[in-house]
Structures are given as structure tokens and as C-alpha cells.
Amino acid sequence: KAGVTQTPRYLIKTRGQQVTLSCSPISGHRSVSWYQQTPGQGLQFLFEYFSETQRNKGNFPGRFSGRQFSNSRSEMNVSTLELGDSALYLCASSLRTSGDNEQFFGPGTRLTVL
Amino acid sequence: AQSVTQPDIHITVSEGASLELRCNYSYGATPYLFWYVQSPGQGLQLLLKYFSGDTLVQGIKGFEAEFKRSQSSFNLRKPSVHWSDAAEYFCAVGVANQGGKLIFGQGTELSVKP
């Protein structure tokens, strides 16, 4: 069974631009979560989607948004990029949306904002 | 608010020596606890998890962890470290009623001396 895939793996943008990252979950998984990883803040939860609905949201500004499609693939969008948005963005998929559910992580998208 | 603390930012052990990585959590009820490992440039891989029952749990790659409610701890152990264990290790808490959201500790970077 194929794992979680994320595209692109690397991205370079300039301040003020917007970016869209994509995540394809493991086949059969309906929950997709997104995390931001930075050296200063560590791993922080962005949001979770289940059956095309946002179920949970972390403490990030409205510039960060996401969506999920009927095939469970998910995208996250960051508008008006800031230097501080440079990070590794990780996507995780799981069968259900519950705290006791194992999440499988993708390799991440490394975003650099210049 | 829920939180996870990993007191050791960086640990160095000799190959063949035993290892213990510390994790303390703050949560009102019994949490769902996880240990993940991240190799450079990679996503997170689940080592083991605790939901309930036996407080000593076995994971992959020879790792184990013990849940101690009285100390709010979930320390990761390995009896004999291999050079390939060098990586960053994250302890995480899954919270009931917050879907798939994971709260991560800051991570412990493990170096292995030959």
C-alpha cells in the first residue's frame, strides 16, 4: 500500500506570494491533518479534514487555509507569504478522526520564503 | 491546556549503550500517547503508542516505553542503541474530543558515538 505523498517536495517563494501544497493520503484513509515544523516552534497543528469537512483548527492566522476533496486528497494554501512561513509542512493521514488513531506522515514539503 | 515536555534537547550515547528519552505531559484525563522518530529530510514514523491497558508498550526497532500516570511521564527506552538510531524523537499526545490533533514535544535529537 502506498504511503502518504506530498507535492511538491521543495518550494521557493517570495514574500507576498501565495502557495498551494498537496497531500494524497493512504488509500482508504479519510482524515488528513496538516502540521508546520520550524526550528523555533517545533511541530504545530494547522488543521484536520475528514470527509471534506474541517474538523479541527490550530492557532494560525486566516492566511492558512485548506480543503479536502471527495477522494480524500487535501490541499493547503498560504496567502500573502511572510518570511516566518518558511517551514517544513507535514501532512498526516488516518482512518478516523479521533485522538487514539494512528497517523501516518508524509515526507513533507519544504517551503522557503525569500 | 494540554502540553508535552521533552526536557532533553540533545542526547549523545555510545553505540551499544542503553537509551532513555524523557517525556512529560500535562493533561486532565488519560491521554493517548505516541512516540515518533524523524530522520533528516524525512517525515515522522510511529515507534509506539499507548492508549490503555499494560503500561509497558513495545514498539518497532526494539523500542519500548512505559506510561507512569503518577509522574505524568511516557519515557522511551532501548537497551542497546545502534548507529542507525541517530535521529530526532518526538513525544506526542492525542486529545479526546479534538479529533486527530496531536500535540508534540519539542523533540530530542539523538547522536550515536561509534
Side-chain angles (χ1 to χ4, degrees), chain A residues 25-83:
Chain A
I26 291 172
S27 177
H29 285 193
R30 296 167 62 194
S31 171
V32 174
S33 297
W34 289 89
Y35 294 83
Q36 181 195 64
Q37 185 177 23
T38 60
Q41 299 299 316
L43 279 153
Q44 293 186 288
F45 174 78
L46 279 156
F47 30 64
E48 178 193 14
Y49 286 86
F50 182 80
S51 294
E52 302 178 64
T53 302
Q54 187 179 91
R55 295 303 179 104
N56 289 286
K57 191 176 189 306
N59 295 323
F60 280 83
R63 300 185 297 108
F64 291 81
S65 62
R67 60 177 175 170
Q68 187 180 34
F69 302 95
S70 58
N71 62 358
S72 295
R73 190 178 69 86
S74 177
E75 290 181 346
M76 68 164 281
N77 183 275
V78 188
S79 62
T80 319
L81 284 166
E82 301 177 0
L83 295 179

Side-chain angles (χ1 to χ4, degrees), chain B residues 73-92:
Chain B
S73 69
F74 187 56
N75 294 348
L76 182 71
R77 300 194 295 248
K78 186 170 185 178
S80 177
V81 169
H82 187 262
W83 64 265
S84 61
D85 293 325
E88 190 152 21
Y89 292 79
F90 293 92
C91 181

Side-chain angles (χ1 to χ4, degrees), chain A residues 9 33 35 37 40-43 45 48 56 88 90 97-103 105-107, chain B residues 32 34 36 38 41-44 46 49 51 90 94-102 104 106:
Chain A
R9 290 294 309 277
S33 297
Y35 294 83
Q37 185 177 23
Q41 299 299 316
L43 279 153
F45 174 78
E48 178 193 14
N56 289 286
L88 180 67
L90 293 165
T97 172
S98 62
D100 62 344
N101 203 23
E102 179 176 348
Q103 296 192 35
F105 282 81
Chain B
Y32 307 121
F34 304 83
Y36 284 89
Q38 184 179 35
Q42 303 294 316
L44 302 174
L46 181 68
K49 57 186 182 282
F51 297 157
F90 293 92
V95 180
N97 302 320
Q98 291 193 34
K101 176 182 177 180
L102 291 175
F104 285 89
Q106 284 296 98

